Every structure is written in structure tokens, then in C-alpha cells.
Amino acid sequence: MRILIIEDDETAAGYLIRALKEAGHVCDLYGDGADGLEAARSDDFDVMIIDRMLPGRDGISIIETLRREGVKTPVLVLSALGGVDDRVTGLRAGGDDYLTKPYAMSELLARVEALARRPAPEEAETRYVVGDLVLDRLAHKVTRGGEPIVLQPREYRLLEYLMKHAGQVVTRTMLLENVWDYHFDPQTNVIDVHISRLRAKIDKGFDRPLLHTVRGAGYMVGETGP
Amino acid sequence: MTARSFTPFGARDTWSAKPGPNIFRSTAFRLSLLYAALFAAAAALAMGYVYWQTSVFYARQLDNTIQAEIRGLAEQYRLGGLPRLNQVVAQRSAAAGGGLYLIADADGERVSGNLAAPSAALLEKRGRVQFPYRAPAPGGTETRLAIGQVFQLSGGYRLVVGRDIEDRRKLEDIFTSAFIWGVGFIALIGVLGGLLVSRVLLRRIGAITDTSQRIMHGDLSQRLPLAGTGDELDRLAGSLNSMLDRIEQLISGLREVSDNIAHDLKTPLTRMRNRIDTALRDAPDSETYRETLIQTIEEADELIRTFNALLSIARLEAGAQVEDFETFDLAALAADAVELYEPVAEGEDITVSLNAPQPAQVNANRQLLAQATANLIDNAIKYARPDSGEGAITVGVEPAGSHVRLIVADNGPGIPEDQRERALKRFARLETSRSRPGSGLGLSLVAAVARLHGGSIALEDNRPGLRVVVTLPATQTHSGKARA
């Protein structure tokens, strides 16, 4: 993927680029808001990572300008401001996701990949299939190997989100935000317990596990582990 | 903290550069001066009116008397000519009635009457005149004032009919001096009263100013003096004092936090540093490095979490995030939180039950309330279990008049009454070992959230266990409050 990074902190940008390159992405870095906006306009990127506080022009106004001009590239907003209202500002301006500094690199990578593969609304699938696990979104039913699996509503949504991002790492924070709509960090790792319940329902009694734990990062649904 | 660095109010110098309180420049004095002037004017007006009315009445009375006399005398003159008139005048002059009569001949000599021969000029006049005359008085004569009318009779004779008005003149004098003195006294008392009132006021305002200057110089323990009268100044001083209490509380909270940061954040940082150091020194294999790094990341995450919690509490206490308020059902939110934590509690042999039978609308920040509820349940799970037996947590939402109560109760050891207040403070952990997980920020965040929403938090005895009651203002569902 080609990723545009607008970030003025050189050290932070250095780590970011290294991690993204290791994950196989191509990165363009701009340290100034105005230059970054020019680049975002002229070239096609798969994802943009934009810091909020920048010299030249602030991140929010860059995103607003891009969205006004019809640029639809997914944007991940990076910021030291972590309050709920700051996130709301970022998302309302047209950002697609928001990450607060300091962040874990695994979280950022997972989010960038999730953004890039986000399907357009009209392409939304009606069935997710991973191996012999099938989630039928129209019938609201889950089967594995043809056998129906009974899930609680929340377990269904959890699995739906994981299967939508099959093959990608999904972090605990992403699950809290997207499945529970909780934009804060509960002290206990409650997500782990929900995952293990889900795992008991979809993997227990089957040879091959489909729900994997990615240590230090999160979870992944896939035919093979991470 | 050094004395030099603590100058939170930049305007201090401009304050102290001002001259001391000047009584004549004070608002109180100017106001009382204005009142004194207005009051004196009103008094003058009232007295003037009384005087005017009295004198009009008096003049009319006098006029009527004189007219009556004239009519009588004219009648006599018509009946019997000058001799008859003379006779009547002499008769009347002898009677004690205050009337003044004079019939003078062409040379101005008195023919009859009780009026000593007045000036020739008077006799040349016609109609209504005011004139002085001499009257007998104890120890001689005195000059008195009279008013009267002069008639020309045939043969050069003149008739003067008058009345003494000396008394009236004296009354006028009394009135005038009463007027001057009265108004003068009122003005004087007004000004003196103004001075007195402004002195009292200025002394109290001066005390407030002095105290606030001492506070600005860093002595936050100072409080404004109260006179105990419950007046406006007392109320002002009272509310300033509660403001100062709050500021002092915040600052001491800040101080406490920095002490606790020193402990709670330095300890894991030191641990991290030591671990990396050890790994560098005696572990040449990459697997140990890897393990060390993973542990380090986990510890860093824990630190970040603590910092985030601290930051959100600080932001809440600064009163931010009000614009994100929305109206929603607290009962549904509690149900969500219970659902999230149920599996965790189950793993710990704790049952979580929800007791929210009816919707309870609140206008609040949903994320913050969800976080507060999550914190409370999280906390309850940590402590729910009594020494023997199963843990039980009840999450309740109930309306209470114009408020809504969110109640999280457990059956754990609870908190002794004397320690409950401390439990709400940042970083407070009641076990002195600080060995259990958690930053000690959970309850203080809930308290901050409650305060931001105009609500309150209370720690109660669940007999056994702890019962946390968060009270929030309810939204009237029927009012249909519009939101932007």
C-alpha cells in the first residue's frame, strides 16, 4: 500500500515509517501541513496518516479541505489530544479513525490495514466465509462445517467484526470501539474474556482453530494463524 | 514550590500600585451624598409647600377681615357722614380686636383712631398698602408691621383701615430659619451618615482586598472575614471563600497527585529500567531479549493507561466536554456495562445482576458515564468476594424525584466509614501495600464524572460490602428538550 504520512516529529515519523515498511508498505512523509495537503491532493494514496498538530496547517483543516475537494482516501488521525471530544472533532472533520499518542505500533498497523480494506458501502458482503465458518448476515446465522452455532447478539457482532477483517489483526481497542461503542479503556481486559467465550463456541471440538490471539496486539480470524 | 514562582495572578502589581481606599472617592460615599442631596431637596419642597399654603390661607383670612371692616365703616359713613364714622372708629379703636384705624384730616393730623400718625406718604397712597407703625409695648413703643387700605374721604379726610401682620412676619422668619436649619441638618446628617456607612463598607471591602492580596501572594489558607450579618458582602465573601476552598482542594489534590505519581509511576519506570538493564548485562540470547521487551511493552501500556486516566480526570475537573451531552437511557447503558463485565465476573465466581426495571433518561456524556459505570463494576469485581462464599454485584438504576441514581453494590469487605472520603481521592488505595492491580484512579474518575454532570457520588455500607451511589440530574422525558 502507498501511505501518506503528515507528521512533524521526526523520531516518531522514523519509527512509523520503519514499521510500515517492514509490513510491506510504501510511505511518503511530509513534516509540514501545507506541503502535506499539496501531496494529498496530487497523488493517489491508499491511506493517509495525519497528525493533528502540525506546522503550516493543522491536521483537522487538511482533512476538511480534502473532504471538501472530494478526496475519499481513508484518513487515520494521530493526536496527543485523547479526549472524547477531540476524537469527535477528528471524526467529524472527515477522519475515518483516530489514534491517541502514545500508541502501540501494532495498534496503528492494525488500524491502517483495516482502513485500507474497508469496503465501500455498496460492496458490503452478505456472507463472510473463513474456512468452514460461515456468517450469513441476511439470516443472522452462523454455521461451522454446516452445524449451526448459537451466539448471543454481542457475540454475533464480535464475530461479524472479526470476520469482516479476516486475515487482519484486530486490536482490543478496535473491538471496544466498533462492537461496544466504548471509546475508553476499561481497566480490566474484558475483551479477552468475551473472545474466549466466542472461541469456545466456534473453535471447540474442531481440529483447526480459526480465532487466533496475536500476542501484544490483538486477535485475528483466519484459516492460518498470524 | 518556591515563593518566587507562585504568582498565579499576573495582575498583582497593578493592584498594589493603586492608592489606598479613599473615603471621598468611594461609591458608598458618593451614593450617600447623592441621597442626602435628594432627601434635603424633598424636605425643602415639603416645607415650602406647607409654608406657601399657610401664608395663602393667612392672607385670605386677613383680607376677608379687612374687607368686612371696610364694608361696615362704609355703611356708617353713608348713614351718618364723617361724625358718625369718627364715632364708630373711636369705638372700634378702643375695643381689643387687633384692628387698626385712623381718620386723618387734610393736614395729615389724626382725628380719631388707634393708629399713631403714620408717615405722610402713607396717606397719599390709595388702596392696599403695607406699612410700619408704632405700637405700645412693655417699656415703651415698638415698630410693628401692618397691612391695610387707605380711602380718600370728602374734605381731604383720609381713612386707614388695617391689621397688624407683625405676628405673621415673625412666623415667616421662624419658617425661614426652620427651613434653612432643617435642610441644613438633613444634609449634614446625610453626609455624616454617608461617611459612616462608607467607612464601615470600606473597612470590610479593604479587608477583602487585603485578604485576596495575601492569597494572591500564595497563602491559600487565608479566608475572607465574615461579619456574620448575612448581608450582600457576607454572601459575597462566603461564596469567594467556598471558591477558595475548592481551589485549595484542587491544589492540594495536585500536590497529592504529584506525590503519588512519584510513587506509582516511578516504581514501574524503575522496574522497566532495571529489567532492560539486567537483560542487557546477562542475557545474550535473543529469546530473553524478546521476553524482556514484551514485558516492557506491557508495563509501558499500563503506564500509558494510568496517564490517560489521570489526564481524563484532570480534563473532567476542568469542566470540559460539556458539548458532547446527549439524552439517553441510563438503564440501557447500565445493562450494556453489565453485559460487558458479566463473563469477567463469572470467571471470578461473582454474579452480576441488573436491577433497572424502567428507563431513566439523562442528559449526559454517554462515553463518560459508560466509563464511570465500567469503573464501578470493575472495582466491585475486584472486591466483591467476601472471605468465604460467592461474590455478588448488583447494578441498579432507579429514579429519585428529579434525579436518577446509579447504584453499584457488592458484598465484599466494604470500606470503613472513616476512609470513604479518602477512597474518592486520586491514587488512593486503601490497602497500603498497593499490591493489587489498579491505579487507584477508578473511583476518583467516577467522582469527577458525577461532578461534571452536576451530580454527586456517595459511598455507603451495603451490609456487608460497598454500595456506590451516583446521583445525576434526570431529564424530564415529556419536556422534549431540543438539542442542537
Side-chain angles (χ1 to χ4, degrees):
Chain A
M1 280 198 290
R2 188 154 177 225
I3 299 171
L4 171 70
I5 302 166
I6 312 179
E7 159 72 272
D8 58 322
D9 181 339
E10 279 178 29
T11 321
Y15 280 122
L16 193 58
I17 288 172
R18 226 184 94 185
L20 288 169
K21 275 187 179 157
E22 274 169 17
H25 304 299
V26 181
C27 303
D28 285 20
L29 173 71
Y30 290 89
D32 179 89
D35 300 345
L37 177 61
E38 278 313 305
R41 274 185 181 133
S42 55
D43 274 297
D44 278 338
F45 293 96
D46 297 301
V47 177
M48 298 191 268
I49 300 172
I50 302 179
D51 187 25
R52 259 191 84 157
M53 279 176 277
L54 288 167
R57 190 155 188 172
D58 79 282
I60 296 296
S61 93
I62 293 176
I63 299 166
E64 279 172 343
T65 311
L66 288 175
R67 292 295 182 248
R68 217 170 25 244
E69 291 171 3
V71 178
K72 288 199 179 67
T73 317
V75 171
L76 173 70
V77 186
L78 274 190
S79 174
L81 304 171
V84 174
D85 46 349
D86 296 317
R87 292 163 184 260
V88 169
T89 315
L91 297 176
R92 283 207 184 123
D96 297 279
D97 202 352
Y98 200 105
L99 198 56
T100 311
K101 292 178 182 177
Y103 53 84
M105 200 53 78
S106 55
E107 178 89 41
L108 183 125
L109 284 173
R111 283 177 186 265
V112 165
E113 278 161 22
L115 276 182
R117 294 209 204 153
R118 174 174 290 182
E122 61 271 18
E123 300 164 24
E125 292 170 53
T126 57
R127 268 160 67 90
Y128 294 133
V129 181
V130 175
D132 53 353
L133 180 66
V134 179
L135 185 139
D136 184 338
R137 301 183 72 200
L138 294 178
H140 231 265
K141 284 206 171 80
V142 179
T143 55
R144 183 157 185 195
E147 291 293 312
I149 296 173
V150 183
L151 295 177
Q152 300 289 321
R154 192 75 67 173
E155 290 166 346
Y156 175 85
R157 283 179 54 195
L158 187 56
L159 182 64
E160 184 184 36
Y161 187 80
L162 286 164
M163 288 183 80
K164 185 177 162 192
H165 297 283
Q168 297 170 24
V169 176
V170 172
T171 68
R172 290 177 183 85
T173 319
M174 287 161 81
L175 291 174
L176 269 169
E177 287 179 2
N178 292 292
V179 179
W180 276 270
D181 190 27
Y182 279 1
H183 294 263
F184 58 87
D185 182 15
Q187 307 260 315
T188 319
N189 258 336
V190 286
I191 295 301
D192 295 347
V193 189
H194 283 269
I195 289 285
S196 61
R197 278 195 166 191
L198 181 64
R199 178 177 283 139
K201 290 193 176 176
I202 63 168
D203 277 347
K204 209 172 176 183
F206 293 93
D207 295 340
R208 214 166 40 150
L210 294 178
L211 178 48
H212 312 278
T213 299
V214 185
R215 202 176 166 198
Y219 304 96
M220 195 183 103
V221 163
E223 287 192 68
T224 52
Chain B
M1 187 179 303
T2 64
R4 185 194 58 82
S5 67
F6 192 73
T7 47
F9 304 95
R12 194 182 82 187
D13 294 334
T14 46
W15 260 104
S16 42
K18 265 192 176 175
N22 182 341
I23 203 161
F24 296 107
R25 286 179 49 186
S26 78
T27 311
F29 180 72
R30 282 187 222 171
L31 270 181
S32 40
L33 208 63
L34 182 68
Y35 271 115
L38 279 176
F39 198 66
L45 214 66
M47 284 168 81
Y49 181 75
V50 169
Y51 170 69
W52 179 63
Q53 284 289 311
T54 313
S55 83
V56 164
F57 173 76
Y58 200 91
R60 197 174 295 147
Q61 284 279 73
L62 204 65
D63 208 46
N64 287 346
T65 314
I66 293 173
Q67 288 304 321
E69 299 241 39
I70 289 168
R71 271 198 302 277
L73 290 176
E75 178 71 15
Q76 299 297 330
Y77 185 62
R78 200 158 43 77
L79 289 175
L82 195 58
R84 178 86 182 250
L85 189 64
N86 262 331
Q87 198 184 340
V88 175
V89 163
Q91 208 178 344
R92 288 198 182 174
S93 298
L100 296 171
Y101 311 95
L102 174 71
I103 295 175
D105 60 16
D107 302 328
E109 289 301 314
R110 177 166 71 167
V111 180
S112 65
N114 57 0
L115 195 62
S119 62
L122 171 70
L123 298 176
E124 297 310 316
K125 289 196 172 137
R126 300 281 186 281
R128 180 63 53 90
V129 284
Q130 207 174 48
F131 56 92
Y133 75 103
R134 299 202 63 80
T141 58
E142 59 175 358
T143 307
R144 294 174 70 96
L145 194 67
I147 191 164
Q149 218 158 346
V150 186
F151 297 93
Q152 303 290 322
L153 305 175
S154 57
Y157 286 94
R158 256 101 14 130
L159 167 68
V160 180
V161 179
R163 281 264 148 180
D164 183 276
I165 57 162
E166 185 65 21
D167 289 342
R168 190 180 118 189
R169 199 184 58 76
K170 280 192 178 141
L171 191 69
E172 267 172 32
D173 283 352
I174 290 170
F175 252 116
T176 311
S177 62
F179 185 85
I180 291 168
W181 284 104
V183 172
F185 274 130
I186 287 171
L188 191 71
I189 289 169
V191 171
L192 286 177
L195 279 171
L196 197 73
V197 167
S198 35
R199 254 174 70 99
V200 171
L201 262 177
L202 278 184
R203 193 178 305 141
R204 291 178 61 189
I205 289 175
I208 292 178
T209 312
D210 286 352
T211 313
S212 52
Q213 292 212 355
R214 276 202 295 278
I215 292 165
M216 280 189 271
H217 282 80
D219 183 2
L220 270 175
S221 65
Q222 291 283 333
R223 288 296 175 269
L224 302 174
L226 293 180
T229 52
D231 61 1
E232 299 87 341
L233 271 182
D234 258 20
R235 273 183 288 150
L236 174 68
S239 63
L240 286 177
N241 279 344
S242 19
M243 185 176 88
L244 288 169
D245 287 342
R246 179 97 180 92
I247 292 174
E248 196 184 16
Q249 191 190 327
L250 284 177
I251 288 190
S252 74
L254 218 61
R255 219 165 275 160
E256 202 174 313
V257 164
S258 43
D259 291 349
N260 284 317
I261 284 179
H263 182 275
D264 275 51
L265 299 184
K266 255 181 170 175
T267 311
L269 281 171
T270 312
R271 216 163 40 221
M272 263 164 77
R273 203 194 173 285
N274 290 347
R275 179 171 296 136
I276 296 170
D277 199 40
T278 315
L280 270 179
R281 268 191 284 110
D282 49 48
D285 68 301
S286 67
E287 192 45 47
T288 318
Y289 279 141
R290 210 181 133 72
E291 197 52 44
T292 306
L293 287 177
I294 287 174
Q295 282 173 353
T296 308
I297 284 181
E298 279 166 6
E299 236 157 322
D301 284 347
E302 196 56 48
L303 277 171
I304 289 168
R305 196 172 289 173
T306 305
F307 260 118
N308 283 341
L310 260 181
L311 284 176
S312 27
I313 294 173
R315 289 165 58 88
L316 288 178
E317 292 195 331
Q321 291 168 329
V322 179
E323 69 269 29
D324 279 323
F325 277 31
E326 56 185 307
T327 301
F328 60 90
D329 180 12
L330 188 63
L333 182 137
D336 269 0
V338 167
E339 190 259 5
L340 178 68
Y341 276 95
E342 215 167 13
V344 181
E346 215 169 79
E348 305 258 336
D349 277 336
I350 297 167
T351 55
V352 184
S353 47
L354 178 72
N355 177 26
Q358 60 190 98
Q361 299 291 327
V362 288
N363 186 253
N365 184 314
R366 184 200 289 268
Q367 290 297 330
L368 288 177
L369 276 195
Q371 186 167 10
T373 314
N375 277 4
L376 289 177
I377 300 177
D378 202 272
N379 202 51
I381 289 175
K382 258 180 231 160
Y383 297 104
R385 219 157 339 157
D387 291 335
S388 57
E390 285 202 344
I393 296 169
T394 315
V395 180
V397 175
E398 59 181 39
S402 61
H403 286 74
V404 175
R405 276 207 287 259
L406 170 72
I407 302 159
V408 178
D410 63 58
N411 64 345
I415 299 177
E417 195 166 354
D418 56 332
Q419 292 189 40
R420 285 183 195 152
E421 198 173 319
R422 201 170 75 78
L424 294 175
K425 294 214 163 143
R426 266 173 279 198
F427 282 119
R429 278 200 267 165
L430 300 177
E431 32 147 17
T432 38
S433 67
R434 291 175 178 260
S435 55
R436 290 235 206 169
S439 55
L441 292 170
L443 275 181
S444 84
L445 185 118
V446 178
V449 169
R451 215 170 14 237
L452 178 79
H453 289 88
S456 61
I457 180 171
L459 304 186
E460 295 172 3
D461 196 348
N462 195 36
R463 290 171 226 276
L466 181 69
R467 189 178 132 96
V468 186
V469 182
V470 177
T471 310
L472 298 167
T475 306
Q476 259 59 49
T477 39
H478 54 265
S479 72
K481 202 173 137 195
R483 268 179 26 87

